[in-house]
Amino acid sequence: MRVGVFDSGIGGLTVVKSILEHNLFEEVIYYGDTARVPYGSKDKNTIIRYSLEALEFFKNFDIDVLIVACNTASAYALDELRANTTIPVVGVIEAGILSLENKLSNNDSNILILGTKATISSKKYEVALKSYGFNNLTSIATGLFVPIVEEQLENTQILDKTFEHYFKDLSHIDAVILGCTHFPLIEEKIGKYLGNAMTIHSGEAIVELLKLKYNCNNKFTKTDIKFFASENPDGLKDVAKKWLGELI
Ligand code: DGL
């Protein structure tokens, strides 16, 4: 089993981490569009075009399934990607919704959705959650978390101030959807700041979805991983070494 993992840049490595922890595949081909990141501030047509170009890249490899690790691309480009390939294309939004639905039994729960500007304005999470009967929803575009994580400022006052800026008007939150690749890296801090709210992590959610819907229940002893980037692949590999450590 060979899986392709696509993201706008380095953030999708958080999804790769979960995949590697569960040994689901023999080989992972990762492609980050580092030359054109961020996608979260771009418009729908651009996000779709870039995602289709990434799909062309993956056609060089005989992948069995394509995971769109990027929430922004998952919000806008899944239909177009699926229309242009015969392999299964799995997005993180569907996975996150399923994971939340499995974990939260009370439909009155207060759910907070965090993501990039583009993901939040797509309303993809809201529409799906409402269809499951969850109506107490708050959405906030928290794009500043992306550079904070990339600049490794998560242990500084800058993150505390940013929490204050985004979250100061919130009342009680039961669960928070980390609707962006970078947010799992500050998952504990977000959960704690929001009164120990339950957190939904795209990587873990994808693993649950792959096992449930795509029958990925294999346990490979070793996973080979190849990293590709549209710009500075060495920079991406350095981040991978830092974030994935002994897994690679
Ligand atoms: N990968 C993007 C996402 O998950 C975050 C970075 C970007 O804006 O491209 O939405």
Side-chain angles (χ1 to χ4, degrees):
M1 285 286 278
R2 180 182 293 142
V3 63
V5 179
F6 161 53
D7 182 49
S8 57
I10 58 172
L13 294 171
T14 57
V15 172
V16 170
K17 187 166 187 214
S18 303
I19 290 171
L20 294 179
E21 281 167 352
H22 292 264
N23 303 104
L24 293 186
F25 297 99
E26 257 173 319
E27 193 174 352
V28 176
I29 308 289
Y30 184 91
Y31 173 68
D33 192 4
T34 46
R36 303 189 290 197
V37 70
Y39 283 15
S41 53
K42 303 214 162 46
D43 72 12
K44 182 181 172 187
N45 290 339
T46 306
I47 296 163
I48 291 173
R49 178 159 53 89
Y50 289 176
S51 301
L52 288 175
E53 284 170 18
L55 179 65
E56 287 308 307
F57 170 82
F58 282 107
K59 286 183 179 167
N60 295 311
F61 304 89
D62 190 20
I63 56 172
D64 299 294
V65 52
L66 175 64
I67 294 177
V68 182
C70 179
N71 271 266
T72 305
S74 296
Y76 290 98
L78 282 195
D79 289 346
E80 282 76 5
L81 287 170
R82 285 175 177 150
N84 283 279
T85 178
T86 52
I87 59 158
V89 179
V90 190
V92 278
I93 295 186
E94 179 192 359
I97 301 287
L98 190 84
S99 173
L100 184 96
E101 217 249 325
N102 283 337
K103 291 185 179 114
L104 261 193
S105 47
N106 184 355
N107 275 21
D108 292 328
S109 302
N110 290 315
I111 301 169
L112 175 65
I113 303 148
L114 305 179
T116 62
K117 211 174 249 175
T119 298
I120 297 301
S121 37
S122 78
K123 298 208 184 300
K124 282 280 153 66
Y125 277 109
E126 286 88 335
V127 170
L129 286 169
K130 283 188 180 157
S131 75
Y132 283 103
F134 294 104
N135 287 305
N136 299 334
L137 311 176
T138 307
S139 308
I140 313 179
T142 52
L144 285 176
F145 291 155
V146 173
I148 287 176
V149 166
E150 292 206 2
E151 297 293 325
Q152 295 176 49
L153 297 172
E154 60 268 31
N155 292 316
T156 68
Q157 282 199 350
I158 295 174
L159 183 63
D160 300 332
K161 292 271 174 224
T162 311
F163 279 164
E164 228 176 281
H165 169 71
Y166 286 136
F167 300 151
K168 64 177 182 306
D169 296 328
L170 291 177
S171 47
H172 176 72
I173 295 294
D174 296 297
V176 48
I177 295 184
L178 306 171
C180 173
T181 45
H182 291 61
F183 301 173
L185 288 145
I186 48 171
E187 176 173 20
E188 261 188 52
K189 290 180 194 290
I190 292 177
K192 211 164 143 201
Y193 191 92
L194 296 171
N196 292 323
M198 175 206 288
T199 47
I200 300 293
H201 173 310
S202 296
E204 282 155 27
I206 275 285
V207 169
E208 288 165 32
L209 181 77
L210 288 170
K211 286 184 175 175
L212 203 78
K213 271 184 76 173
Y214 295 88
N215 232 350
C216 292
N217 289 304
N218 295 316
K219 278 268 173 210
F220 293 100
T221 44
K222 196 178 156 289
T223 305
D224 280 331
I225 177 153
K226 290 191 179 70
F227 296 105
F228 298 91
S230 50
E231 182 181 277
N232 190 14
D234 288 341
L236 183 119
K237 282 178 201 153
D238 286 346
V239 178
K241 276 185 206 135
K242 218 179 295 156
W243 289 5
L244 306 178
E246 288 173 0
L247 291 167
I248 55 171

